[in-house]
Amino acid sequence: PLCAPMKRADALAVPVCARLGKVPQHLRSRLALITHAHAKKVEPLPPDEFRRVAWTSVGAYGLDQPPDTVTFLATGHNANSRHLDGEKELVGAVRSFMAMKQPHLRFAYVDLANLSSYADEVRLMSRTAVLISLFSSSLHNCRFLPAGSVAVEIHGALKNDYDYGAHWLYFRTCARAGVLWAPYAVPSAMPRRPTPAEQARASGLPGHSTGLVYDDGPRAYNHARLDPAHFTTHFLLKVMRKEWEVIFSEYEAYFHDHPNPRPGESNRWQRPRLPEFALRRRKYATDSDESTRNQGNLPPMYT
C-alpha cells in the first residue's frame, strides 16, 4: 500500500516497491519505511532515522519532547477476537497505580480502531512512555515509540500461536527499535494435554481439534484473565524498578514449565527460551564453562 494500490495476492508475492522500481510522486513525501525509492532491494531505515521521518511526516509530538503518556490499548474491537476479561477493572487498577508511581505521566485508554487515521496512531505512539497491550499485532507499534520506552506485553489469549515462537516475537521487534520489552505471562495462556479421563470431553472444545485443555476453561483460548493487583503491584512495580532479570526469569520459567503440549509438532519449541539471550538457570551458577555462564547476560539496553 506504500507504493500503489495492489491486489492482496500481488502484495504478498512481491515486495511492492521493488516490483514497481519507484515510488509514485504523490506518495513520496509520505513514506517512512524505505531508504531509497529507486533501490532494487528495499532496506529499512535505522531506528532513530525511521522515527524521525515517521514522526515528522505526521507532525508528531515527540521530536524534541520526552514521552509523557502511559497508553493502554483496548481489545474491544480486535479483529483477531483476542480479549481481556475484566478489562475495565484492570485498566482502572493500572490507571491508579501509575498515577501513584508516575504522577507526571498522563494515562490514555485507547481503542486504535476508533482513531480517525493511522497518523493519529503514530502521533499517539510518539509520546508514549509505557505501552500496554494484550498479545496482538498492535505491539508492532513499538517501532514508533521513543527509544528507551517500555512495551508491556500481556502474553495471553494465544489461540495456539505458541506453536510459532510467538513468546519472543515482540521482544525482537522492540529490540530493533531500541524499546524495552516487558512480558507478563497470563497463567492460563498455555493449554496442556488432557488426561485420559478428560480426552473425550476436551476434543469438542472450540479451537482445540487436538483435544488440548485449558485449566481456566475454553475461553482461555482467545480470552486472557489476570489479577489486576498482581499485575500492578507485582509486575508493573518491577518494570518501574527496572528489575529486568527477575521479569525475564519469571517469564521464561512459565514457558519452561508449560512446554508445547503437542508432541511431534514444532519440537524446537518444546522448551522455548528467548533466543537472543538465555537467562541463567541454576545449573549455570556452578558451570565451569565460561561461555555457558555468560548466557545469563542481559542485552546492553537492559543494563
Side-chain angles (χ1 to χ4, degrees), residues 88-110:
K88 291 185 178 180
E89 180 185 0
L90 177 62
V91 168
V94 173
R95 186 193 302 270
S96 298
F97 177 82
M98 297 305 295
M100 178 176 61
K101 296 296 183 181
Q102 301 285 337
H104 61 287
L105 297 178
R106 69 186 190 119
F107 186 87
Y109 176 46
V110 180

Side-chain angles (χ1 to χ4, degrees), residues 164-197:
Y164 304 99
H167 54 284
W168 54 266
L169 168 64
Y170 294 110
F171 165 75
R172 298 185 65 181
T173 303
C174 294
R176 293 187 183 112
V179 171
L180 299 167
W181 175 75
Y184 180 85
V186 176
S188 62
M190 293 278 280
R192 60 175 172 80
R193 297 178 66 194
T195 64

Side-chain angles (χ1 to χ4, degrees), residues 6-188:
M6 297 184 68
K7 294 181 180 179
R8 180 174 173 80
D10 293 335
L12 291 175
V14 182
V16 180
C17 297
R19 177 179 179 179
L20 296 178
K22 62 180 181 179
V23 179
Q25 181 66 40
H26 69 286
L27 291 178
R28 289 182 185 176
S29 63
R30 300 171 58 188
L31 291 175
L33 302 180
I34 60 174
T35 51
H36 305 291
H38 300 280
K40 291 184 178 180
K41 180 180 179 181
V42 179
E43 298 179 356
L45 291 169
D48 289 340
E49 181 68 7
F50 174 88
R51 273 186 285 263
R52 185 190 66 79
V53 174
W55 291 353
T56 301
S57 298
V58 299
Y61 160 91
L63 288 174
D64 300 310
Q65 300 291 334
D68 66 350
T69 304
V70 176
T71 302
F72 195 117
L73 299 184
T75 65
H77 293 94
N78 275 2
N80 58 26
S81 77
R82 290 187 171 98
H83 297 285
L84 275 168
D85 285 346
E87 183 168 321
K88 291 185 178 180
E89 180 185 0
L90 177 62
V91 168
V94 173
R95 186 193 302 270
S96 298
F97 177 82
M98 297 305 295
M100 178 176 61
K101 296 296 183 181
Q102 301 285 337
H104 61 287
L105 297 178
R106 69 186 190 119
F107 186 87
Y109 176 46
V110 180
D111 187 337
L112 296 180
N114 289 336
L115 296 180
S116 60
S117 69
Y118 188 60
D120 286 342
E121 189 169 331
V122 175
R123 281 191 285 267
L124 173 65
M125 295 302 134
S126 74
R127 62 187 304 170
T128 294
V130 180
L131 176 67
I132 304 173
S133 174
L134 181 64
F135 169 76
S136 74
S137 58
S138 297
L139 283 161
H140 282 292
N141 273 311
C142 67
R143 68 195 65 195
F144 296 116
L145 296 176
S149 294
V150 177
V152 173
E153 175 182 344
I154 300 174
H155 198 86
L158 300 184
K159 297 174 62 178
N160 291 354
D161 281 352
Y162 49 81
D163 281 345
Y164 304 99
H167 54 284
W168 54 266
L169 168 64
Y170 294 110
F171 165 75
R172 298 185 65 181
T173 303
C174 294
R176 293 187 183 112
V179 171
L180 299 167
W181 175 75
Y184 180 85
V186 176
S188 62

